[in-house]
Amino acid sequence: MKAMNKATTLLLILVMLLPVGGGAALADSHQSEVATVDTAALEMRSEIDRLLSEHGFGTITLMRKIFNKEPDVEQLKELANLNSQDLRAGFASVYGEGPADEFIALWNEHNALFVEYATAAANNDQQAMQNAMDKMEEGSHKIAVLQAEVSEGKLPEAAVAEMLMTHEQQVKASFDAYVAGDFETSYAMQSEAMAYLVNTMSKTLSTAYAEQFPELYDNSKALTVAGNLRSDLNLLLGEHFAVAGTVMQKRFQDAPDFEASLEALNANTGKQAAATTSIYGEEAGNQFAALWNSHNEYYLQYVDAVKNNNAEEKEAAVANLGQFRDEFSQFMSTATEGILDADTVSEALQMHVDTTLGTFDSFVAGDYAKAWTTAREGYAHMFATAKTTSAAFVQQFPDKFAGVPAMPETGLGGMAGMFDMNSILWSLPFLIIAALLVFSRRKVLE
């Protein structure tokens, strides 16, 4: 069990924050016997997925931009601030303003130390870099104490501290590799860091909170097979949106890490293409890959058109994306036997396209505040799409997603067993991911 970042605290916060929520299906002991992604506990878990993964990606991106002295550093700092405010609001809604103030002070220090580390790296100040990491480790223990206290021992101090430090080391490793010019490793570590926040941290925190406060979540569970599917899609779709935006910026800038960012996007979509084939067969997998391949190519077509100030080519790229939307919507409707209506898929795809292009257009125009505001909106949209898609898939294959996953005994009351996300991930019928608007396939943008 790797580190759980201070996001751990945040997660706890969120968990309590989402108790009201919507979907309350299955509020009794039979809940685990019915396949659904729409319960109070799973809403809480999904929100924690979103905020923690956004924190991870946003932090790594901010550190790279600080090192490169890029013009949108301040706007990315504001993105981190908004993320932290959301976490604090959740904490305050459960524990009150006093504990929330304690939490946000520690969490803000956590974020500030990442900035301090990146700034020191840009100045080649090795001592300042080490000082930042030393203070970060100290802060991890303080957060762990708070986390253990508010969870009434559900999340042991030592375990939380270990998770937080793992998170910090993953972010550091991604940034250090970037500074060293090892871009491939940097982006691979970024993917690992985001996955850890979702697969380990969010899952651990949401499970503990649903158990600590069952009445807040209608006695529903945060750890179910259907919930794992939704969370898997949260991660893959969220990462897709985040990395696709990075790829577009890097292509426009002729940045030296463009190829590495593209490989990260291909790695994300390659998992989904392979899973589609494993569930529906080679023919369906090939059809899926071809559709997603064209979709990603059109995004690069758009970037190149903007870069070359070619209005005609830009218009053609938008038209191509529209055609893709129509074809893919019908494909998903057919695959899910009409559970996902083509119009519903088309609408979700259009939102995804609009926020992706909107983020890029604002970035190119130098309106960085709007660019990152739109990016945050687009990132959140992927989680809504994940819910819709996973719900359809669960409805189509209810037997595959009923019940709760088996877990061995652990020091965290059995929660460690849920950390093996890969085995779950690869066994899921991820064609749904396609519906989720995830860019798929390894050859996509090549």
Side-chain angles (χ1 to χ4, degrees):
M1 179 167 162
K2 295 183 177 181
M4 174 175 202
N5 134 5
K6 303 174 179 182
T8 299
T9 302
L10 305 180
L11 288 184
L12 293 178
I13 298 173
L14 272 176
V15 177
M16 320 299 280
L17 167 66
L18 298 175
V20 208
L26 310 180
D28 59 23
S29 60
H30 299 293
Q31 183 261 348
S32 62
E33 300 174 8
V34 181
T36 180
V37 300
D38 190 13
T39 69
L42 291 180
E43 288 301 309
M44 171 266 290
R45 176 180 172 183
S46 184
E47 182 69 354
I48 293 175
D49 285 352
R50 180 178 72 83
L51 290 176
L52 286 185
S53 60
E54 181 183 60
H55 162 72
F57 171 78
T59 298
I60 293 172
T61 301
L62 172 60
M63 293 174 74
R64 291 177 183 147
K65 286 179 177 285
I66 289 173
F67 182 78
N68 292 332
K69 297 180 172 60
E70 295 189 43
D72 54 341
V73 166
E74 292 306 315
Q75 289 74 23
L76 260 173
K77 287 181 180 178
E78 178 58 22
L79 181 73
N81 182 51
L82 292 173
N83 178 277
S84 296
Q85 287 178 21
D86 286 347
L87 289 166
R88 184 203 179 282
F91 198 92
S93 70
V94 175
Y95 299 108
E97 294 299 322
D101 287 343
E102 183 179 355
F103 161 74
I104 198 61
L106 292 170
W107 189 250
N108 284 342
E109 181 182 6
H110 169 78
N111 287 331
L113 288 170
F114 280 125
V115 170
E116 183 178 318
Y117 184 87
T119 302
N123 296 326
N124 195 27
D125 188 337
Q126 298 295 320
Q127 185 59 56
M129 291 169 68
Q130 185 59 53
N131 289 343
M133 292 310 300
D134 289 344
K135 287 186 286 185
M136 199 173 292
E137 180 176 351
E138 181 180 341
S140 294
H141 287 284
K142 292 179 181 178
I143 292 177
V145 169
L146 176 62
Q147 186 78 88
E149 289 178 353
V150 297
S151 68
E152 299 175 341
K154 288 280 186 181
L155 293 162
E157 177 185 338
V160 173
E162 180 186 352
M163 289 189 285
L164 283 167
M165 287 186 286
T166 296
H167 158 66
E168 291 160 356
Q169 288 300 320
Q170 287 176 333
V171 171
K172 176 181 179 296
S174 177
F175 176 71
D176 287 350
Y178 185 87
V179 171
D182 186 354
F183 303 129
E184 184 176 349
T185 296
S186 179
Y187 281 96
M189 282 304 304
Q190 172 183 284
S191 181
E192 182 177 336
M194 291 180 71
Y196 183 80
L197 290 170
V198 173
N199 296 345
T200 297
M201 262 193 200
S202 179
K203 190 182 294 184
T204 301
L205 292 174
S206 58
T207 298
Y209 273 97
E211 291 178 353
Q212 185 181 5
F213 301 97
E215 69 284 357
L216 294 179
Y217 306 105
D218 300 329
N219 293 302
S220 60
K221 298 181 183 299
L223 181 60
T224 67
V225 178
N228 284 349
L229 169 63
R230 180 177 174 182
S231 193
D232 290 347
L233 296 183
N234 284 342
L235 172 62
L236 291 175
L237 289 179
E239 183 186 34
H240 158 72
F241 180 86
V243 177
T246 298
V247 167
M248 294 174 75
Q249 288 186 19
K250 298 297 183 180
R251 176 83 159 215
F252 182 78
Q253 296 171 322
D254 287 324
D257 54 326
F258 165 70
E259 292 296 337
S261 68
L262 180 58
E263 177 55 30
L265 180 62
N266 291 340
N268 171 277
T269 58
K271 295 174 186 177
Q272 300 165 38
T276 298
T277 297
S278 70
I279 299 299
Y280 291 98
E282 185 175 357
E283 182 178 354
N286 288 341
Q287 184 179 5
F288 166 82
L291 285 168
W292 278 113
N293 192 26
S294 65
H295 174 72
N296 290 325
E297 288 173 353
Y298 299 148
Y299 275 104
L300 287 187
Q301 179 187 12
Y302 186 89
V303 173
D304 291 342
V306 171
K307 185 176 180 180
N308 296 322
N309 197 27
N310 188 329
E312 183 177 348
E313 188 68 8
K314 179 179 177 181
E315 190 174 318
V318 173
N320 286 336
L321 285 166
Q323 181 179 351
F324 159 78
R325 181 197 63 216
D326 294 341
E327 293 177 355
F328 191 76
S329 297
Q330 188 57 54
F331 171 70
M332 285 309 303
S333 180
T334 300
T336 59
E337 301 173 333
I339 296 174
L340 279 173
D341 178 71
D343 289 341
T344 299
V345 177
S346 179
E347 182 179 352
L349 280 168
Q350 190 60 55
M351 176 65 173
H352 174 57
V353 169
D354 288 346
T355 52
T356 300
L357 297 186
T359 298
F360 175 72
D361 287 343
S362 295
F363 178 83
V364 172
D367 190 347
Y368 304 123
K370 184 176 181 181
W372 287 107
T373 297
T374 305
R376 196 168 196 231
E377 178 185 355
Y379 192 77
H381 171 69
M382 302 309 285
F383 288 73
T385 303
K387 180 181 180 180
T388 300
T389 304
S390 58
F393 212 59
V394 168
Q395 182 179 340
Q396 187 178 14
F397 301 99
D399 291 343
K400 287 180 177 290
F401 301 106
V404 297
M407 299 182 298
E409 290 295 327
T410 73
L412 287 179
M415 288 187 289
M418 62 190 159
F419 297 161
D420 185 11
M421 167 66 120
N422 287 336
S423 60
I424 298 172
L425 181 65
W426 284 98
S427 67
L428 298 176
F430 272 94
L431 183 56
I432 279 191
I433 292 177
L436 295 179
L437 314 177
V438 162
F439 287 113
S440 162
R441 205 167 193 263
R442 189 162 295 180
K443 297 180 180 177
V444 170
L445 294 171
E446 299 176 341

